[in-house]
């Protein structure tokens, strides 16, 4: 017997591969940390802050995202933030998560790399013990800052090499093509880091080509605008390149007018290797299951398609092959009514 329809997404085992940990900072926690740290926020209340979450584009979101980070000062703050995300993700039956962090968003305002990293890492270890959710950490470079700053950050990260699975590229996409970071990514890959990059979220197909060819990425984050270039779609299909798609993020940042026009349907029809993720759930109004549910409703995804997306999420993860196979087997047991 197949699982009860209304519970199908809730209990579906899944991995999350595109989540900025700083984007899981809920307004309530932002105010609590502001109080704990004596930081003054430019809003009187949680409601006033939430009301400001109306974004016409990526940059309008990023301005508030960086402002929100100002309350994160101590190792405990990063610990609390990360453990809160993990507990929320576990409720969505996330069994494995690969979280992004933005060290330059913190070192640039005087918070040490070690403070950020140690808080996140300790929470992930404690969370795995408490919740059984496995995890990896991906360090993202801020592309609106010079490549030299990214290189300095990579050098700082070398001390933590065994605890950081990969590097990524995020922040303001337009005007900051992947090629600017060719040298940084080459050095990171030489040091054994895997690589991902945001591309085609707002930027043109050329930026997706750049992520593939100049940065040699293992996954593309978003990739929506790749659909404008048939040769690029064919290349992504041939390479079986995973795309970490984030529908509610795209809706909130104006990439799509409504979810019924989301490119996920075309991506599936083209045979692209897609996963579903929350991006910045505290800002975009939904964790991973809401992304599954909203796209299911808007695009009429079948249980078989949702099951395939969940399988993809483990296959596209940076877990070792044996663990991947075990997690995919859990999905299959679920899909077969176990
Ligand atoms: N896009 C680019 N950079 C980001 C995002 C995003 O959605 N969230 C946090 N940094
Ligand atoms: Zn993102």
């Amino acid at each position: 017997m197949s699982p009860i329809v209304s519970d199908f997404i809730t209990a579906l085992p899944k991995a999350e591969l595109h989540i900025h940990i700083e984007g899981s900072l809920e307004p309530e926690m932002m105010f609590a940390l502001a109080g704990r740290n004596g930081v003054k926020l430019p809003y009187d209340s949680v409601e006033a802050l939430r009301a400001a979450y109306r974004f016409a584009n990526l940059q309008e979101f990023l301005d508030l995202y960086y402002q929100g980070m100002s309350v994160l000062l101590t190792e405990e703050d990063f610990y609390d933030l990360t453990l809160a995300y993990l507990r929320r993700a576990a409720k969505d039956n996330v069994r494995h998560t690969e979280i992004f962090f933005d060290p330059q968003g913190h070192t640039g305002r005087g918070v040490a790399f070690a403070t950020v990293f140690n808080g996140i890492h300790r929470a992930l270890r404690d969370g795995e013990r408490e919740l059984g959710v496995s995890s990896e950490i991906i360090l993202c470079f801020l592309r609106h800052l010079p490549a030299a700053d990214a290189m300095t950050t990579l050098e700082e990260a070398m001390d933590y090499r065994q605890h950081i699975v990969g590097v990524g590229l995020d922040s303001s996409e337009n005007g900051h093509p992947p090629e600017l970071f060719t040298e940084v990514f080459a050095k990171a890959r030489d040091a054994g880091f895997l690589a991902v990059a945001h591309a085609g979220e707002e930027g043109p197909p050329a930026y997706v080509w750049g992520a593939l060819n100049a940065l040699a990425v293992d996954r593309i984050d978003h990739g929506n605008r790749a659909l404008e270039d048939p040769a690029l779609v064919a290349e992504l299909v041939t390479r079986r390149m995973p795309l970490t798609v984030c529908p509610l993020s795209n809706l909130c940042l104006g990439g799509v007018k409504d979810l019924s026009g989301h490119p996920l349907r075309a991506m599936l029809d083209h045979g692209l290797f897609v996963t579903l993720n929350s991006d910045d759930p505290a800002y975009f109004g939904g964790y991973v299951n809401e992304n599954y549910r909203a796209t299911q409703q808007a695009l009429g995804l079948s249980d078989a398609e949702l099951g395939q997306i969940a399988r993809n999420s483990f296959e596209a993860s940076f877990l070792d092959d044996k663990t991947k196979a075990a997690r995919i087997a859990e999905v299959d047991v679920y899909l077969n009514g176990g």
Side-chain angles (χ1 to χ4, degrees):
M1 231 181 67
S2 72
I4 300 164
V5 173
S6 60
D7 282 335
F8 180 77
I9 288 170
T10 309
L12 180 64
K14 57 189 74 71
E16 178 151 55
L17 305 179
H18 185 157
I19 157 78
H20 302 261
I21 198 63
E22 297 92 342
S24 72
L25 177 58
E26 291 286 348
E28 289 77 7
M29 183 178 279
M30 198 189 292
F31 271 84
L33 297 183
R36 180 157 108 185
N37 292 329
V39 174
K40 178 97 186 83
L41 288 170
Y43 302 93
D44 290 337
S45 64
V46 164
E47 293 70 36
L49 176 58
R50 263 193 220 283
Y53 289 178
R54 291 173 184 280
F55 314 112
N57 53 44
L58 174 59
Q59 192 59 50
E60 287 190 13
F61 155 69
L62 289 169
D63 292 344
L64 285 198
Y65 170 79
Y66 294 121
Q67 176 184 275
M69 284 185 198
S70 66
V71 304
L72 296 164
L73 292 175
T74 69
E75 185 177 318
E76 218 51 32
D77 299 338
F78 288 94
Y79 180 91
D80 292 349
L81 172 73
T82 305
L83 197 55
Y85 160 69
L86 270 189
R87 287 181 176 150
R88 182 64 189 76
K91 287 194 179 139
D92 283 2
N93 213 19
V94 170
R95 311 284 296 120
H96 175 71
T97 184
E98 301 191 349
I99 67 166
F100 297 141
F101 78 120
D102 283 336
Q104 291 159 286
H106 312 298
T107 53
R109 52 189 180 83
V111 179
F113 188 104
T115 300
V116 179
F117 183 82
N118 291 338
I120 293 172
H121 184 243
R122 190 158 53 82
L124 291 178
R125 269 191 331 214
D126 288 356
E128 176 155 16
R129 216 174 310 120
E130 179 191 323
L131 304 159
V133 180
S134 60
S135 55
E136 295 288 357
I137 302 177
I138 297 171
L139 181 163
C140 281
F141 302 115
L142 300 184
R143 69 201 305 161
H144 69 276
L145 297 177
D149 290 16
M151 197 60 102
T152 305
T153 302
L154 178 61
E155 278 152 18
E156 275 195 278
M158 290 298 184
D159 289 345
Y160 303 87
R161 170 64 199 92
Q162 78 268 32
H163 299 305
I164 299 177
V165 76
V167 296
L169 190 64
D170 66 1
S171 195
S172 320
E173 188 180 5
N174 278 322
H176 305 104
E179 287 80 358
L180 295 171
F181 298 89
T182 302
E183 208 188 317
V184 182
F185 271 64
K187 187 164 177 194
R189 284 186 291 99
D190 283 350
F193 292 99
L194 297 170
V196 300
H198 285 55
E201 180 184 16
E202 282 189 343
Y207 286 22
V208 181
W209 282 114
L212 293 179
N213 295 332
L215 307 186
V217 294
D218 299 287
R219 294 196 297 249
I220 296 281
D221 296 314
H222 296 291
N224 298 18
R225 291 195 57 197
L227 293 183
E228 295 169 24
D229 179 346
L232 177 55
V233 171
E235 182 73 13
L236 293 168
V237 170
T238 303
R239 292 195 194 202
R240 244 179 104 57
M241 178 60 57
L243 306 181
T244 63
V245 178
C246 306
L248 290 177
S249 167
N250 302 146
L251 182 64
C252 286
L253 302 187
V256 292
K257 287 211 168 44
D258 62 72
L259 281 182
S260 62
H262 193 278
L264 180 69
R265 167 51 66 204
M267 289 170 167
L268 288 167
D269 293 347
H270 284 300
L272 286 162
F273 186 8
V274 295
T275 66
L276 281 176
N277 309 274
S278 70
D279 209 0
D280 300 281
Y283 291 88
F284 301 148
Y287 286 77
V288 68
N289 280 1
E290 275 101 56
N291 279 273
Y292 275 71
R293 272 190 212 105
T295 42
Q296 178 197 35
Q297 279 162 20
L299 301 172
L301 300 184
S302 65
D303 286 358
E305 287 172 319
L306 293 165
Q308 185 59 50
I309 290 169
R311 288 179 109 260
N312 290 353
S313 71
F314 291 110
E315 197 184 336
S317 77
F318 294 148
L319 287 165
D320 63 76
D321 287 346
K322 187 159 163 261
T323 313
K324 265 188 205 184
R327 292 284 156 106
I328 291 170
E330 283 176 31
V331 179
D332 287 341
V333 165
Y334 180 74
L335 296 178
N336 292 323

